[in-house]
Amino acid sequence: MEIFLIRLLQFMLAISILVLLHEGGHFFFSKLFGVRVEKFYLFFDPWFHLFEFKPKKSDTTYGVGWLPLGGYCKISGMIDESFDTEQMKQPAQPWEFRSKPAWQRLLIMIGGVLVNFLLALFIYSMVLFYWGDSYMPVQNMTMGMKFNTEAKAIGFQDGDVPVGTDQKEFKKFDIDLFRNIADAKTVTVKRKGKLVTITLPEDMSLLKMLKSEPAFMRPIIPAEVDSVMPDMAAAKTGIRKGDRIVAFNGAPVNSWCDFDDQIGVMTDVMTATAKTTKDSLKVRTTTLVYKSKATGQLDTAKVVLSPELQLGVGKTSLMTYYKPVTTEYGFLESFPAGIKYGIGVLRGYVDDMKYVFTADGAKSLGGFGAIGSLFPPVWDWMLFWRMTAFLSIILAFMNILPIPALDGGHVLFLIYEMVTGRAPSEKFLLRAEYVGFTILILLMVVANLNDVLRWLGFMH
């Protein structure tokens, strides 16, 4: 419950910042060009609101709604998600959106996207300035990687150290590494001190690599115990910090990858056969062989895992065996570095959009639950700001898509007007807004339904 609340608070804070600044972009350009803003709201307020006030001598009502799905800036004389048709029936007023030149209306519409994109670049720059860029060079991970069956069929072997592809050299073990493999023709690995080139099939898919279970590629980390949780299976067995697990559930364990794979096997068995408490206990009862750090001897023990199939140990991590590299940035240096980093994130996100239009991609869509789970389970300001910047880029990109009801839809119609000299009719714009709004609602339903199905265990 504590983890859920921490993630929820981070999600709500990030969304509040992004929505306020996004709508603030529309607000800024509206005021700059003398367009009246009737309402400025954080979150939506169907039927009622949580808070509202209107300053004296102001045309704008500010408020907080109860439905945290975004926010809005209601601009006079504009067909938007408020579907205010009565206002549009009245004669155009000089302070209305529809009375302004097309280029001013265009800037008003892209204001939110512009602010979100610039915000992301600024956050990335400040993160690099304050914390620097710390990472584990892939080529320094000398114990290599653990590969799944599909990867081994291509030609990878456990212990291989990825070096690069025919397109670029690997730097970090992150999503870009998998993205580079998906787009490459060959990949080079270091195997037993020698460089080996592996030819990749044409149907390599980033989505399949990320969704495969076990994972396509994982760093090999020795199964050494970093900590022991009191009153759980490991503590009752006598396992201590520094002990190493060498076998579990009847299978040899050379790394935490092997241990996790066996937990996966037990999870599948539990799902398929554990209909009663007795069945569950049978699945959770297994054998464990570990090497004691104190004596150097092998000990075999019978353990009963928790109902969540937890042994009750903290695992060693990459940081235990490898020293990270940190690149520091001065204040002025951080801006070009942050801009380069942010553009790279945007380029990767846009490139990954091609998977959305596949069956697996549709199943991978996530709603608010999936987004919230991306935040760390503990409050970490660096990770929080990185995640906020990432969401800001997503918000900017998604809003500029040429879908009616999004900023990009309005921009599309404005560009049409600027090119042809003729504005679409108000009747057409209203119908387009309804269509776009329906599409967005359907996408939101599908994405959040996927979250529910994953939570219920019907989808991975």
Side-chain angles (χ1 to χ4, degrees):
M1 187 62 179
E2 181 182 357
I3 291 175
F4 170 78
L5 290 176
I6 290 174
R7 282 179 165 154
L8 177 63
L9 287 173
Q10 291 180 89
F11 174 72
M12 294 299 294
L13 178 58
I15 289 298
S16 298
I17 292 171
L18 298 182
V19 169
L20 279 174
L21 292 177
H22 176 91
E23 300 303 333
H26 296 308
F27 184 89
F28 170 78
F29 283 106
S30 296
K31 290 296 186 180
L32 181 66
F33 299 130
V35 176
R36 182 175 295 176
V37 177
E38 298 176 16
K39 296 181 75 174
F40 185 92
Y41 256 71
L42 172 65
F43 305 150
F44 295 129
D45 61 331
W47 303 296
F48 67 95
H49 54 262
L50 300 179
F51 172 75
E52 185 179 88
F53 77 99
K54 186 176 183 180
K56 292 182 179 180
K57 299 181 181 180
S58 174
D59 299 315
T60 306
T61 299
Y62 302 88
V64 178
W66 62 271
L67 189 60
L69 301 182
Y72 68 96
C73 182
K74 189 177 186 308
I75 300 171
S76 294
M78 175 184 170
I79 296 176
D80 58 11
E81 61 271 16
S82 67
F83 301 107
D84 188 354
T85 57
E86 292 303 316
Q87 185 183 72
M88 303 304 291
K89 294 177 182 179
Q90 306 301 319
Q93 301 298 323
W95 63 78
E96 290 186 332
F97 178 84
R98 54 180 166 168
S99 301
K100 301 299 178 179
W103 69 271
Q104 292 185 3
R105 285 180 279 143
L106 180 64
L107 285 174
I108 291 172
M109 292 318 305
I110 67 173
V113 168
L114 181 63
V115 167
N116 279 133
F117 185 62
L118 293 178
L119 174 66
L121 299 184
F122 178 75
I123 292 175
Y124 281 132
S125 299
M126 291 300 96
V127 167
L128 292 176
F129 168 66
Y130 190 83
W131 286 285
D133 184 18
S134 294
Y135 63 95
M136 206 76 67
V138 178
Q139 294 191 40
N140 290 358
M141 298 164 66
T142 54
M143 287 183 284
M145 303 287 167
K146 173 82 172 179
F147 297 89
N148 67 7
T149 304
E150 290 78 11
K152 290 177 180 177
I154 294 171
F156 292 98
Q157 294 182 13
D158 289 342
D160 285 352
V161 179
V163 175
T165 68
D166 54 294
Q167 299 176 357
K168 64 189 303 183
E169 185 176 306
F170 296 136
K171 181 182 178 182
K172 308 176 183 178
F173 185 76
D174 58 9
I175 191 171
D176 283 337
L177 183 147
F178 291 89
R179 189 178 286 121
N180 292 335
I181 291 177
D183 295 335
K185 295 180 179 179
T186 62
V187 62
T188 301
V189 300
K190 185 178 289 185
R191 182 179 298 165
K192 298 179 180 178
K194 296 182 180 180
L195 295 179
V196 177
T197 298
I198 299 171
T199 301
L200 300 172
E202 295 183 358
D203 61 347
M204 290 293 293
S205 166
L206 172 65
L207 189 61
K208 289 182 179 179
M209 281 194 286
L210 295 179
K211 289 189 66 177
S212 59
E213 295 182 9
F216 183 87
M217 179 196 318
R218 295 167 288 174
I220 291 177
I221 303 174
E224 293 181 346
V225 176
D226 183 66
S227 59
V228 181
M229 302 174 192
D231 301 322
M232 294 193 71
K236 295 175 181 177
T237 301
I239 292 178
R240 298 288 182 267
K241 177 181 172 66
D243 293 351
R244 181 167 179 170
I245 298 172
V246 297
F248 177 69
N249 198 35
V253 171
N254 296 312
S255 67
W256 284 119
C257 298
D258 297 329
F259 178 84
D260 291 339
D261 290 345
Q262 288 306 309
I263 292 291
V265 171
M266 296 177 73
T267 301
D268 292 340
V269 173
M270 177 84 79
T271 303
T273 64
K275 308 300 181 183
T276 65
T277 303
K278 185 177 180 181
D279 294 336
S280 172
L281 181 62
K282 183 178 180 181
V283 174
R284 294 187 286 118
T285 303
T286 187
T287 56
L288 174 74
V289 181
Y290 64 97
K291 185 176 182 179
S292 171
K293 181 181 180 180
T295 66
Q297 301 296 315
L298 293 179
D299 289 315
T300 302
K302 183 178 181 181
V303 294
V304 180
L305 305 185
S306 72
E308 296 80 23
L309 296 179
Q310 293 182 350
L311 178 61
V313 295
K315 301 175 182 178
T316 49
S317 66
L318 286 174
M319 303 287 285
T320 308
Y321 307 97
Y322 305 119
K323 185 177 180 180
V325 172
T326 301
T327 303
E328 303 285 350
Y329 293 92
F331 183 73
L332 295 179
E333 293 175 316
S334 67
F335 288 99
I339 291 170
K340 181 180 179 181
Y341 187 91
I343 291 175
V345 171
L346 176 62
R347 185 183 295 115
Y349 182 75
V350 173
D351 184 60
D352 296 344
M353 284 297 292
K354 61 178 177 282
Y355 296 110
V356 173
F357 304 101
T358 65
D360 286 337
K363 294 178 182 178
S364 298
L365 288 175
F368 298 108
I371 296 172
S373 67
L374 295 176
F375 286 94
V378 295
W379 199 286
D380 185 310
W381 281 112
M382 184 188 73
L383 295 179
F384 168 80
W385 286 117
R386 280 186 178 274
M387 189 62 209
T388 301
F390 178 62
L391 291 180
S392 194
I393 282 182
I394 292 177
L395 187 59
F397 177 75
M398 296 301 292
N399 263 284
I400 205 62
L401 292 176
I403 299 175
L406 291 178
D407 296 342
H410 295 286
V411 168
L412 179 65
F413 297 139
L414 282 167
I415 292 175
Y416 169 82
E417 178 184 345
M418 295 171 72
V419 171
T420 64
R422 293 181 291 110
S425 68
E426 291 180 2
K427 185 176 181 180
F428 171 81
L429 291 176
L430 185 61
R431 287 179 176 176
E433 194 77 13
Y434 276 117
V435 171
F437 194 74
T438 301
I439 292 172
L440 295 179
I441 291 296
L442 289 174
L443 285 174
M444 191 176 296
V445 169
V446 170
N448 285 283
L449 180 61
N450 284 350
D451 284 351
V452 173
L453 292 176
R454 277 190 283 266
W455 181 68
L456 293 174
F458 294 110
M459 185 184 294
H460 298 288

